[in-house]
């Protein structure tokens, strides 16, 4: 039976549907085909994937940024603190070294800075304001006078009127005819009795020169001598703009200092500038001054110590030349204040003088050489004074130290002055010392000053020593009064009378100075010209209270040609 059943099953065709009514064979539990389940799951997954968006892989740059942020946080939180702890000694050493070097650099900067820049920097840091700047400016109203005879005009207004009226041309001083001035000389009043005046060079203008010549004792003959001397200097100027003590043309008597050209050029230019002739003033000597100043400015060696203007000097002339060149540059800068380059090198030349001052307050042949000597000191003080008068700042300590030096060589409490030590009765160094005292603030009422001036007056102008005459003439000019009138008459006539009037040396002076062989004819001529220009080269320091001047009622006069 069993076999029959099996045979029926085998005889039934496969795949045919079961007969109706036949019993269905029961399937074994969990007997489902594996491929069918896998197929069902893959369909569901496709449906789910279609229902939500796919996640895209972030770009490479974003991954790098994220990694960098993570690395930075890790560095700041862990690695940096640990590194600082491990190297704290090295870091402390580096910090201390940096502070020391920074402090040294600041001190060096303060040492090299000009005084005015240093003061300004300290003022900014400390918040300090100078009292001069803190005070409100007083504006003076200028009232136009109805007529020139108005006696209420002050000296400033008179100077303005004088500038408007050019009057006689300075070239007319060459004429033998004595011409009157457009403005009465007794109306020209000094601006004050202080040592440094804004108008210190005011006498070098056309109107100022004409007025000062007559007021302070000059004549048409003395001015003619000045012009003749300037013309001679102009003729012997070299093509490059310089002068040489050893080159005086056919006039003879050249100086032995063949290479001290800076000194010779400075002396010649001082004579031109003394008469108001500048590189920007049209006239006979404009080109001469222009070429000379250009050469002089190129000759300076500029460094952190300032402008060394000594050039190829010889013997003991070094600081003499520095003083002369600085006076020249300072005066030129004061007369033409718009020339900034000229003013800059003048300032640097002043700084070199300040830094060359010796520990005793003086100067000698080389920078910081001691002991100082009165002769060299005189030129440095004149250079510093010219700079200050032109608006260039000078260290107050420099002037204070000069006073200490003058005290060391003074005799009789400042009546006389020696060369390197205290010495009585020496005319030349006494003249230099007294002139320095005047510029450094001694009042006219000081007894020692009066006695010193009386001593110079008693000696009188020398017939040979032009160096003494140059300094003593300035002292007497500033002192003014009867002593000046007496001195000036003798000095002026002597210089005018001894000047060479004809030949290749016309306009120059023969060498008579005991020490004149070094500078020769240029030296003798330059100091003679500067002495004749004393009337307007520097206005008198002390104001002369003359009752006749203060009560003058004369009106402004008009010249007759």
């Amino acid at each position: 039976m069993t076999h029959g059943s099996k045979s029926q099953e085998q005889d039934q065709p496969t795949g045919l549907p079961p007969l109706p009514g036949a019993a269905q064979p029961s399937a074994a539990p969990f007997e489902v085909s594996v491929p069918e389940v896998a197929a069902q799951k893959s369909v569901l997954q496709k449906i789910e994937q279609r229902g939500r968006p796919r996640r895209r892989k972030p770009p490479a740059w974003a991954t790098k940024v994220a990694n960098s942020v993570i690395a930075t946080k890790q560095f700041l939180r862990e690695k940096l603190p640990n590194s600082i702890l491990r190297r704290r000694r090295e870091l402390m050493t580096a910090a201390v070294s940096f502070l020391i070097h920074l402090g040294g650099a600041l001190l060096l900067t303060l040492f090299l800075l000009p005084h005015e820049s240093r003061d300004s920097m300290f003022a900014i840091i400390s918040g300090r304001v100078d009292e001069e700047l803190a005070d409100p400016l007083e504006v003076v109203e200028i009232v136009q006078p109805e007529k020139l005879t108005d006696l209420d005009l002050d000296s400033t207004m008179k100077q303005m009127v004088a500038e408007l009226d050019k009057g006689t041309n300075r070239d007319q001083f060459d004429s033998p005819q004595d011409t009157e001035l457009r403005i009465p000389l007794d109306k020209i009043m000094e601006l004050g009795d202080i040592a440094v005046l804004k108008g210190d060079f005011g006498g070098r203008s056309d109107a100022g020169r004409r007025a000062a010549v007559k007021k302070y004792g000059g004549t048409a003959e003395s001015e003619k001598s000045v012009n003749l001397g300037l013309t001679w200097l102009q003729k012997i100027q070299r093509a490059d703009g310089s002068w040489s003590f050893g080159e005086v043309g056919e006039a003879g008597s050249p100086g032995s200092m063949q290479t001290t050209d800076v000194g010779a050029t400075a002396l010649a230019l001082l004579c031109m500038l003394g008469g108001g002739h500048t590189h920007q003033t049209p006239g006979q000597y404009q080109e001469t001054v222009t070429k000379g100043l250009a050469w002089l400015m190129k000759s300076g060696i500029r460094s952190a110590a300032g402008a060394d203007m000594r050039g190829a000097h010889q013997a003991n002339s070094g600081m003499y030349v520095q003083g002369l060149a600085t006076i020249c540059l300072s005066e030129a800068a004061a007369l033409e204040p718009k020339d900034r380059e000229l003013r800059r090198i003048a300032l640097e030349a002043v700084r070199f003088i300040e830094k060359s001052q010796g520990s005793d307050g003086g100067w000698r042949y080389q920078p910081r050489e001691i002991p100082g000597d009165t002769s060299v000191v005189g030129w440095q003080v004149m250079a510093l004074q010219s700079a200050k008068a032109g608006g260039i700042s000078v260290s107050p300590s420099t002037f204070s130290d000069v006073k200490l030096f003058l005290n060391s060589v003074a005799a009789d409490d400042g009546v006389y002055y020696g060369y390197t030590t205290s010495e009585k009765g020496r005319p030349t160094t006494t003249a230099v010392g007294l002139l320095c005292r005047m510029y450094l603030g001694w009042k006219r009422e000081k007894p020692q000053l009066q006695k010193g001036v009386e001593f110079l007056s008693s000696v009188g102008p020398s017939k040979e020593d032009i160096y003494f005459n140059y300094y003593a003439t300035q002292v007497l000019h500033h002192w003014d009064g009867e002593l000046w009138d007496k001195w000036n008459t003798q000095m002026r006539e002597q210089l005018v009378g001894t000047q060479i009037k004809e030949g290749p040396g016309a306009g120059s002076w023969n060498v008579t100075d005991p020490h004149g062989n070094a500078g020769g004819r240029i030296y003798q001529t330059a100091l003679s010209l500067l002495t004749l220009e004393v009337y307007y080269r520097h206005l008198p320091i002390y104001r002369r209270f003359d009752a006749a001047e203060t009560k003058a009622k004369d009106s402004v006069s008009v010249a007759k040609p």
Side-chain angles (χ1 to χ4, degrees):
M1 199 170 154
T2 305
H3 182 267
S5 300
K6 185 175 181 182
S7 175
Q8 292 176 358
E9 292 176 2
Q10 291 177 350
D11 296 337
Q12 186 176 353
T14 306
L16 295 175
L19 296 174
Q24 299 290 336
S26 59
F30 307 105
E31 202 172 3
V32 180
S33 176
V34 175
E36 293 181 8
V37 176
Q40 293 176 0
K41 288 184 177 180
S42 63
V43 172
L44 292 174
Q45 289 176 354
K46 290 180 180 180
I47 295 174
E48 289 178 358
Q49 289 177 356
R50 291 175 183 175
R52 64 173 183 268
R54 296 181 180 180
R55 275 191 175 183
R56 295 182 179 179
K57 186 178 179 180
W61 65 267
T63 303
K64 291 182 179 180
V65 171
N67 293 336
S68 299
V69 172
I70 295 173
T72 302
K73 290 182 178 180
Q74 185 179 5
F75 173 78
L76 294 176
R77 291 177 181 177
E78 300 177 8
K79 294 183 179 181
L80 180 61
N82 294 334
S83 179
I84 292 176
L85 290 176
R86 288 195 307 268
R87 301 182 181 180
R88 58 182 180 274
R89 290 187 178 180
E90 293 87 343
L91 292 175
M92 289 295 295
T93 302
V96 172
S97 177
F98 172 76
L99 293 176
I100 292 176
H101 283 81
L102 179 62
L106 290 175
L107 291 176
L108 182 62
T109 302
L110 292 177
F111 176 77
L112 297 178
L113 276 177
H115 292 283
E116 64 273 11
S117 300
R118 189 186 314 167
D119 296 340
S120 300
M121 185 179 68
F122 280 131
I124 293 174
I125 295 175
S126 61
R128 174 179 56 84
V129 179
D130 293 340
E131 294 181 359
E132 296 180 0
L133 298 178
D135 295 336
L137 295 176
E138 180 180 356
V139 179
V140 180
E141 181 181 2
I142 299 179
V143 180
Q144 177 66 35
E146 295 182 359
K147 55 184 179 178
L148 296 180
T149 56
D150 187 357
L151 294 178
D152 291 333
L153 293 177
D154 61 10
S155 59
T156 303
M157 180 62 75
K158 290 175 181 178
Q159 181 65 25
M160 292 173 62
V161 173
E163 292 292 346
L164 291 175
D165 176 22
K166 294 299 181 182
T168 305
N169 192 311
R170 66 175 57 184
D171 294 337
Q172 292 181 3
F173 280 118
D174 290 330
S175 172
Q177 297 182 356
D178 191 2
T179 56
E180 295 294 334
L181 300 173
R182 294 295 183 97
I183 299 176
L185 299 168
D186 56 352
K187 298 298 182 185
I188 305 297
M189 305 291 291
E190 293 88 352
L191 297 178
D193 56 355
I194 58 177
V196 179
L197 303 174
K198 291 183 178 180
D200 192 48
F201 301 106
R204 304 192 194 190
S205 64
D206 284 343
R209 179 178 175 180
R210 292 194 308 271
V213 165
K214 184 76 177 211
K215 180 176 178 62
Y216 299 117
T219 62
E221 287 76 17
S222 66
E223 280 300 284
K224 189 175 181 178
S225 293
V226 169
N227 288 332
L228 190 61
L230 295 181
T231 301
W232 180 77
L233 288 175
Q234 185 181 46
K235 290 179 180 178
I236 64 170
Q237 185 184 28
R238 297 194 291 191
D240 62 358
S242 66
W243 281 265
S244 172
F245 286 125
E247 298 181 20
V248 294
E250 299 178 1
S253 300
S256 61
M257 293 191 296
Q258 302 290 325
T259 63
T260 313
D261 297 341
V262 175
T265 302
L267 273 174
L269 286 174
L270 280 176
C271 297
M272 305 284 178
L273 296 170
H277 306 287
T278 74
H279 61 298
Q280 295 182 7
T281 304
Q284 177 183 352
Y285 306 106
Q286 183 180 11
E287 183 179 356
T288 302
V289 178
T290 300
K291 292 168 57 179
L293 280 177
W295 184 91
L296 187 64
M297 293 171 67
K298 293 179 181 178
S299 301
I301 301 176
R302 304 168 80 167
S303 66
D308 184 351
M309 303 301 302
R310 293 174 294 169
H313 59 279
Q314 295 171 266
N316 297 325
S317 63
M319 288 306 296
Y320 282 105
V321 174
Q322 179 72 28
L324 284 168
T326 305
I327 297 173
C328 182
L329 294 171
S330 298
E331 290 190 2
L335 293 172
E336 299 295 347
K338 293 183 179 180
D339 192 330
R340 294 186 177 181
E341 181 60 24
L342 183 59
R343 180 181 178 85
R344 184 179 297 110
I345 193 171
L347 171 63
E348 294 176 8
V350 169
R351 294 293 170 261
F352 187 89
I353 291 178
E354 291 178 334
K355 294 179 181 179
S356 299
Q357 190 175 28
S359 58
D360 60 352
W363 289 269
R364 207 166 188 182
Y365 309 132
Q366 300 298 327
R368 293 177 293 280
E369 181 181 356
I370 56 173
D373 74 65
T374 306
S375 180
V376 179
V377 166
W379 291 108
Q380 313 313 310
V381 172
M382 295 305 105
L384 298 176
Q385 167 61 23
S386 296
K388 189 175 181 180
I392 297 176
S393 66
V394 179
S395 173
S397 62
T398 301
F399 284 129
S400 299
D401 292 343
V402 173
K403 294 177 183 179
L404 295 178
F405 170 79
L406 292 175
N407 292 340
S408 70
V409 296
D412 283 4
D413 200 23
V415 176
Y416 308 99
Y417 294 87
Y419 185 61
T420 58
T421 59
S422 175
E423 191 173 353
K424 184 177 180 179
R426 189 165 180 167
T428 301
T429 52
T430 295
V432 176
L434 291 176
L435 184 60
C436 291
R437 290 293 196 184
M438 286 178 164
Y439 279 118
L440 292 175
W442 269 17
K443 300 296 182 182
R444 197 174 189 273
E445 296 76 18
K446 198 170 185 65
Q448 295 92 326
L449 181 59
Q450 181 176 354
K451 292 180 181 179
V453 173
E454 291 174 350
F455 166 70
L456 296 180
S457 178
S458 66
V459 173
S462 172
K463 294 184 178 181
E464 298 178 350
D465 194 344
I466 188 60
Y467 192 79
F468 164 72
N469 290 340
Y470 169 74
Y471 272 104
T473 297
Q474 293 182 76
V475 172
L476 271 298
H477 170 61
H478 288 308
W479 183 259
D480 208 352
E482 295 180 0
L483 294 181
W484 162 243
D485 294 338
K486 177 183 176 182
W487 175 282
N488 175 58
T489 300
Q490 185 177 349
M491 185 77 265
R492 182 193 65 217
E493 297 306 314
Q494 176 179 309
L495 288 176
V496 172
T498 56
Q499 186 183 35
I500 298 176
K501 302 298 192 299
E502 298 177 351
S508 66
W509 279 263
N510 290 324
V511 180
T512 61
D513 190 272
H515 304 286
N517 290 332
R521 185 172 294 275
I522 289 181
Y523 166 83
Q524 184 85 26
T525 299
L527 290 186
S528 299
L529 288 174
L530 293 172
T531 302
L532 284 177
E533 291 176 342
V534 69
Y535 313 110
Y536 42 80
R537 186 165 174 252
H538 292 291
L539 298 180
I541 293 175
Y542 304 112
R543 186 172 182 176
R544 183 179 179 183
F545 294 99
D546 191 337
E549 287 184 346
T550 57
K551 296 181 180 180
K553 298 296 182 181
D554 296 336
S555 61
V556 177
S557 61
V558 178
K560 294 182 179 181

